[in-house]
């Protein structure tokens, strides 16, 4: 194992707050201007705003949660080394499994009931809570469910094959290519069969799991081998340049309205293969470049407010749908354009969600889970 770090990596806390804040803002936009399904929808009738924001948001959403999977894998290596596979698995079940179950059984139907009531439906909350159909799903917590699955697989793997002690080593090109290729191959094998199952089985967000799993593995390898302690400058620069080129390629495919899921793959057309290669390659090189930038620029001790935001970030992610839908309901009768409402919901909803998240973590029992 790589030697333990002497100090806390503050860049990770800042990264969590930034990514989760961005996710909340994007979900606020999906209610009004971005054509992505959300609990409450009051879409604009204009074609301009969705055209301007739709593709960029979809492109960013494809990689938006990757940094969290990377960090989760990176921290998992140290946690498992300290506690052992069994204790690590139990902790993951508590911190990831319990919130996921609570969300799908209580929070998801609660938010659906709130949105339906605002639209004039008079179904009772009890009926919503006891109906396991009616679109019930994990919603944004697909991320938590995926992370739980990856964590349990990692614990099982290290229980069967304990990682031998090793010195910190420099990251090389070969493992990056292997991870990127693995993501692309799994994309090609699984994307064609996904459209029929994406909206089933409690909305697990299947199209994102391939890349998420690869980035989680990349984080685990970095944690076990100390890759982030010393990152070769030439490699980081190359990753940054490649990330720009690959993002440009993805933008071209998106602008051409080439689907990134089963359409081109089902018929063996080349755009699907290119999309899979770009998905794996972009995720890997972008994460390496991002870690280097954040370690250099975000390593200082954060302010007290930032530390509270980081402490409440997980809870903010869990509870933010309630906050956003409640704000949308309050603004429902206001005669503003949907674009203005979306902006206001995002501006208010992001900090309120973090405040709610921090307050929730102050509760005696909940603080051990969130």
């Amino acid at each position: 194992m790589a030697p333990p770090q002497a100090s806390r990596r503050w860049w990770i806390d800042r990264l969590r707050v930034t990514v989760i804040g961005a996710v909340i803002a994007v979900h606020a936009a999906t209610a009004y201007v971005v054509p992505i399904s959300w609990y409450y929808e009051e879409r604009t009738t204009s074609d301009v705003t969705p055209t301007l924001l739709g593709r960029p948001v979809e492109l960013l959403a494809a990689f938006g949660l990757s940094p969290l999977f990377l960090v989760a894998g990176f921290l998992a290596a140290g946690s498992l080394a300290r506690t052992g596979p069994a204790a690590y698995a139990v902790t993951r079940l508590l911190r990831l499994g319990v919130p996921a179950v609570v969300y799908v059984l209580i929070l998801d139907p609660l938010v659906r009931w709130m949105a339906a009531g605002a639209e004039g439906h008079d179904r009772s909350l009890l009926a919503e809570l006891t109906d396991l159909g009616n679109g019930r799903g994990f919603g944004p917590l697909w991320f938590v469910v995926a992370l739980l699955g990856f964590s349990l697989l990692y614990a099982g793997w290290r229980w069967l094959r304990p990682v031998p002690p090793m010195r910190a080593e420099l990251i090389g090109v070969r493992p990056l290519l292997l991870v990127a290729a693995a993501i692309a191959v799994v994309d090609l094998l699984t994307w064609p069969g996904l459209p029929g199952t994406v909206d089933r089985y409690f909305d697990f967000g299947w199209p994102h799991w391939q890349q998420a799993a690869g980035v989680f593995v990349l984080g685990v390898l970095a944690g076990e081998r100390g890759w982030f302690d010393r990152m070769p400058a030439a490699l980081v620069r190359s990753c940054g340049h490649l990330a720009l080129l690959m993002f440009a390629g993805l933008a071209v495919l998106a602008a051409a309205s080439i689907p990134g899921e089963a359409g081109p793959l089902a018929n063996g057309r080349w755009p699907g293969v290119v999309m899979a290669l770009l998905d794996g390659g972009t995720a890997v090189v972008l994460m390496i470049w991002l870690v280097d930038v954040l370690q250099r620029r975000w390593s200082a001790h954060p302010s007290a407010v930032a530390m509270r935001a980081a402490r409440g970030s997980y809870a903010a992610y869990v509870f933010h749908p309630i906050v956003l839908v409640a704000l949308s309901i309050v603004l429902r009768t206001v005669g503003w354009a949907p674009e203005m409402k979306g902006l206001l919901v995002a501006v208010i909803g992001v900090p309120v969600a973090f405040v709610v998240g921090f307050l929730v973590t102050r509760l005696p029992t909940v603080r051990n889970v969130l």
Side-chain angles (χ1 to χ4, degrees):
M1 288 287 184
Q5 298 300 313
S7 60
R8 185 179 180 92
R9 296 178 184 263
W10 297 112
W11 65 268
I12 293 179
D13 294 291
R14 289 186 168 92
L15 176 64
R16 282 181 180 142
V17 173
T18 302
V19 171
I20 291 176
V23 168
I24 297 172
V26 167
H27 286 164
T30 60
Y32 298 97
V33 294
V34 180
I36 300 175
S37 178
W38 184 242
Y39 291 101
Y40 177 92
E41 295 179 1
E42 190 180 336
R43 295 284 166 72
T44 179
T45 58
S46 169
D47 294 330
V48 176
T49 313
T51 301
L52 291 176
L53 297 180
R55 289 300 185 183
V57 167
E58 291 175 5
L59 186 60
L60 292 175
F63 303 94
L65 288 174
S66 294
L68 297 186
F69 282 109
L70 178 79
V71 166
F74 177 72
L75 297 177
S79 178
L80 189 144
R82 292 189 300 271
T83 64
Y88 169 76
V90 170
T91 301
R92 294 297 89 190
L93 284 169
L94 176 65
R95 297 210 64 211
L96 300 174
V98 171
V101 171
V102 170
Y103 190 91
V104 78
L105 292 181
I106 299 176
L107 299 183
D108 179 78
L110 173 60
V111 180
R112 293 180 185 278
W113 174 77
M114 292 168 58
E119 295 171 356
H121 302 286
D122 58 356
R123 194 180 196 199
S124 69
L125 177 58
L126 179 61
E128 194 72 48
L129 289 170
T130 55
D131 184 359
L132 295 181
N134 195 32
R136 178 77 63 94
F138 288 101
L141 260 69
W142 73 265
F143 158 76
V144 175
V145 177
L147 186 54
L148 175 61
F150 302 155
S151 300
L152 294 179
L153 287 174
Y154 174 51
W157 175 250
R158 283 307 176 211
W159 179 72
L160 293 173
R161 297 191 61 177
V163 62
M166 61 178 65
R167 296 180 180 178
E169 61 184 49
L170 289 177
I171 186 172
V173 174
R174 183 172 178 271
L176 300 184
L177 290 175
L178 290 176
V179 173
I183 295 173
V185 169
V186 177
D187 282 345
L188 290 169
L189 293 176
T190 58
W191 272 350
L194 287 177
T197 60
V198 168
D199 295 325
R200 301 179 189 173
Y201 310 116
F202 296 99
D203 188 21
F204 281 107
W206 298 116
H208 307 287
W209 283 52
Q210 305 88 335
Q211 181 200 112
V215 174
F216 180 84
V217 170
L218 179 63
V220 167
L221 293 174
E224 291 182 347
R225 303 181 182 185
W227 283 348
F228 293 165
D229 294 337
R230 289 187 303 143
M231 301 180 70
L235 178 63
V236 171
R237 285 195 301 271
S238 297
C239 286
H241 296 153
L242 286 173
L244 287 175
L245 291 174
M246 290 180 177
F247 256 119
L250 288 168
V252 170
L253 291 180
S257 298
I258 297 174
E261 295 173 22
L265 296 174
N267 300 320
R269 297 205 301 264
W270 65 266
V273 176
V274 174
M275 183 69 80
L277 292 172
L278 290 175
D279 182 48
T282 304
V284 170
V285 297
L286 181 63
M287 292 305 102
I288 296 302
W289 174 81
L290 182 64
V291 168
D292 178 73
V293 171
L294 296 183
Q295 287 190 139
R296 287 187 289 106
R297 300 186 180 183
W298 279 4
S299 293
H301 195 292
S303 66
V305 172
M307 291 179 66
R308 290 188 178 94
R311 177 65 184 91
S313 59
Y314 182 24
Y317 188 86
V318 173
F319 288 98
H320 81 270
I322 296 178
V323 173
L324 296 184
V325 171
L327 288 171
S328 294
I329 292 173
V330 170
L331 293 174
R332 182 177 178 83
T333 59
V334 178
W336 294 350
E339 290 85 351
M340 290 299 299
K341 290 184 180 181
L343 179 61
L344 186 60
V345 170
V347 170
I348 298 176
V350 172
V352 169
F354 277 99
V355 170
V356 169
F358 178 73
L359 293 177
V360 167
T361 62
R362 308 301 293 173
L363 299 176
T365 302
V366 178
R367 71 177 61 177
N368 296 325
V369 178
L370 298 177

